[in-house]
Amino acid sequence: EGDVVGARRDSRLEDERPVEPVPAHGAVVPACHERLVRGERERPRLVVTLFGIPRVTVAGEPVLGAQNERTLALLAFLAVERRRAHARTALAAMFWPDEPEARAQQNLRQALSRLRRAVAPGASDAPCLRTDGAHVQFDQDFCGSLDVEVFERLVEEADHHAHRRVEACDACVLRLERAVALYRGSLL
């Protein structure tokens, strides 16, 4: 197993694409991966990179650039704080603090709309967002890659793996090397 995982790590480092963890035995596999196994068509892959220069790509093509700074910041906040839903009123106040409430809410709706169009063109909703009239949440099970999540998972797996010393555990050293490879600069 170490050679296969190591080969995957080495090829990922060479072309600098995000490193994807291999699901652990018994791990929950997102529905998009199950559809692939059954041969069903999948949406284009969304990749969110927040370490270093933030990038959002779909099928390898950039979809949010510098002209969408606030939309990118909103996506980054929702992705980093993905474990809970956020009230729309709080998001509007946070991202547009100098605007009247109605204008801030409108700006939030427009930013969410831009985000949906960017990451899921032609779809009614973005695969990475769960929204309702009052809340917005980044979907932790979305079919894509979020470097921050992969980094956290690799470090957590190394922390919780049964070993006497992390440096003596080849699997944990590999996990930590993969985590370091993801860290291309400070978060945003």
Side-chain angles (χ1 to χ4, degrees):
E1 178 183 311
D3 293 336
V4 172
V5 174
R8 173 185 269 191
R9 176 183 52 89
D10 292 340
S11 68
R12 295 285 185 181
L13 289 175
E14 288 171 11
D15 63 11
E16 294 191 28
R17 284 182 285 186
V19 178
E20 298 176 45
V22 178
H25 179 68
V28 176
V29 178
C32 61
H33 296 290
E34 291 175 11
R35 288 192 302 271
L36 277 178
V37 169
R38 292 192 311 259
E40 295 176 20
R41 192 176 178 141
E42 181 184 21
R43 286 184 185 184
R45 183 160 175 75
L46 171 66
V47 177
V48 180
T49 305
L50 299 177
F51 285 122
I53 298 171
R55 289 183 333 205
V56 180
T57 62
V58 174
E61 296 297 320
V63 294
L64 285 177
Q67 73 277 14
N68 296 303
E69 186 177 311
R70 197 138 343 174
T71 303
L72 182 58
L74 175 63
L75 174 62
F77 174 80
L78 292 169
V80 170
E81 297 293 328
R82 66 193 171 280
R83 290 179 179 85
R84 67 180 188 88
H86 301 275
R88 286 176 178 256
T89 54
L91 291 171
M94 180 186 313
F95 284 92
W96 293 276
D98 298 330
E99 297 287 342
E101 184 178 348
R103 179 73 177 149
Q105 288 285 339
Q106 179 183 1
N107 289 343
L108 177 63
R109 284 191 301 276
Q110 289 172 347
L112 289 170
S113 178
R114 277 192 299 277
L115 185 55
R116 282 186 193 97
R117 284 192 312 273
V119 302
S124 62
D125 203 6
C128 63
L129 293 178
R130 291 182 186 169
T131 61
D132 62 29
H135 295 88
V136 179
Q137 182 174 12
F138 190 86
D139 186 352
Q140 294 187 73
D141 299 323
F142 83 106
C143 300
S145 176
L146 171 61
D147 63 345
V148 172
E149 178 192 18
V150 175
F151 179 89
E152 289 172 349
R153 187 177 328 127
L154 289 168
V155 171
E156 184 177 321
E157 287 172 359
D159 282 347
H160 292 94
H161 187 249
H163 52 256
R164 289 187 184 152
R165 293 185 350 249
V166 69
E167 62 273 6
C169 178
D170 290 341
C172 289
V173 167
L174 180 59
R175 285 181 183 109
L176 294 174
E177 286 174 351
R178 292 174 71 197
V180 168
L182 287 171
Y183 189 81
R184 295 184 179 110
S186 1
L187 184 62
L188 296 179

